[in-house]
Amino acid sequence: MAQRKATSLQTPLLVCNWKMNPQSLREARALASKIIRAARYAPPASVLLAPPFPYVAPLHALLKGQRAVALAAQNSTAHEQRALTGEVSYGMLADMGVSRVIVGHSERRYIIGETDKTINEKVALIHAHGMTPLLCVGETKKTTPAKALAFIEQQLVRDVAGFDKRAHFSIAYEPVWAIGGSKEVDPSYAAHVIEGIHVFCAHHFSSVPRVLYGGSVHCKNIDDFLYYRDTINGFLIGSASLRAQDMTIIIKKIYGKR
Ligand code: PEP
């Protein structure tokens, strides 16, 4: 597999996607505090917490005084600010220190029914409001890296259509069949697909996006994925991001102790 050394120079990102967890603010604060402590030697804004919306403001307060951990949103609106019941504006997210927004997660695509058109609108709005989209892509069924890549290229074309070629964004490659916390995934499969995404992006964008991997990463398999650290520019973690012990091990393995 051809290696693209340029991308390995970027600090790896570690994004904790808490989904609809934990069930109380007390637990959210306790988990965040442990992750902040584990990440105290990590580079600025390299570890991102993506909590449910009600915890964004209290965690914003908790993160003050440290630089390693920053906030991401799990979702964002497809609308500019106006009278729209139930939506959260980009101005509010920015005011709470949100720097990145997860968009196109498979649970929103296939459970909520979000279309590429909506995802495309969100990507443009996230960017227009000075934040970085973390665009999730990935094939639904286990297949070959070549077929997975063909599927992902179609998603990328639709999801970033009309997007400024120089615009800054990141990608999370998440094979949908591998999401769930304990699925068997071959890291070399993930690395092959990510290598292909890098090549595709090099042809289509002038800024080089980081490409993260997500899908059943935990403290027991992180070393296998880190073997491909020249290709995989970080991780989007669901289930294991709710376990402070897992996160402590993963953070140490990725960033070491300086
Ligand atoms: C995810 O849903 O983004 C994810 C990576 O989940 P998990 O780590 O639980 O597979």
Side-chain angles (χ1 to χ4, degrees), residues 12 187 221-230 232 235 250 253-254:
N221 63 12
I222 185 70
D223 281 331
D224 303 333
F225 286 99
L226 285 175
Y227 178 79
Y228 297 98
R229 66 189 314 156
D230 280 349
I232 303 177
F235 301 93
I250 290 170
K253 291 201 181 231
I254 296 179

Side-chain angles (χ1 to χ4, degrees), residues 121-142:
E121 287 162 2
K122 290 185 177 188
V123 165
L125 281 168
I126 295 163
H127 186 250
H129 287 271
M131 298 170 201
T132 307
L134 174 57
L135 175 63
C136 301
V137 292
E139 76 284 7
T140 51
K141 291 197 181 93
K142 195 167 186 177

Side-chain angles (χ1 to χ4, degrees), residues 204-221:
H204 289 81
F205 306 103
S206 42
S207 74
V208 184
R210 277 192 183 92
V211 186
L212 281 54
Y213 170 75
S216 295
V217 174
H218 47 74
C219 67
K220 296 208 174 92
N221 63 12

Side-chain angles (χ1 to χ4, degrees), residues 27-128:
E27 292 168 282
R29 278 207 180 102
L31 177 59
S33 300
K34 287 178 185 158
I35 293 175
I36 292 168
R37 190 173 155 66
R40 63 196 181 282
Y41 303 110
S46 52
V47 178
L48 285 125
L49 300 182
F53 279 138
Y55 304 153
V56 169
L59 293 191
H60 177 49
L62 190 74
L63 293 178
K64 291 220 166 95
Q66 61 79 52
R67 283 158 34 104
V69 184
L71 280 174
Q74 290 180 22
N75 181 34
S76 64
T77 180
H79 302 274
E80 284 290 10
Q81 196 277 328
R82 63 182 163 106
L84 199 48
T85 304
E87 293 293 89
V88 172
S89 76
Y90 287 94
M92 293 171 194
L93 292 179
D95 194 40
M96 290 299 113
V98 169
S99 54
R100 292 176 188 267
V101 181
I102 299 172
V103 58
H105 192 281
S106 59
E107 287 151 9
R108 298 204 63 85
R109 288 180 193 263
Y110 304 117
I111 300 175
I112 307 276
E114 241 172 53
T115 62
D116 286 305
K117 181 175 174 292
T118 305
I119 292 164
N120 180 244
E121 287 162 2
K122 290 185 177 188
V123 165
L125 281 168
I126 295 163
H127 186 250

Side-chain angles (χ1 to χ4, degrees), residues 4 7 10 169-171 198 201-202 205 207-211 233:
R4 294 178 75 254
T7 57
Q10 293 187 339
F169 71 111
S170 309
I171 294 170
H198 280 306
C201 289
F205 306 103
S207 74
V208 184
R210 277 192 183 92
V211 186
N233 309 134

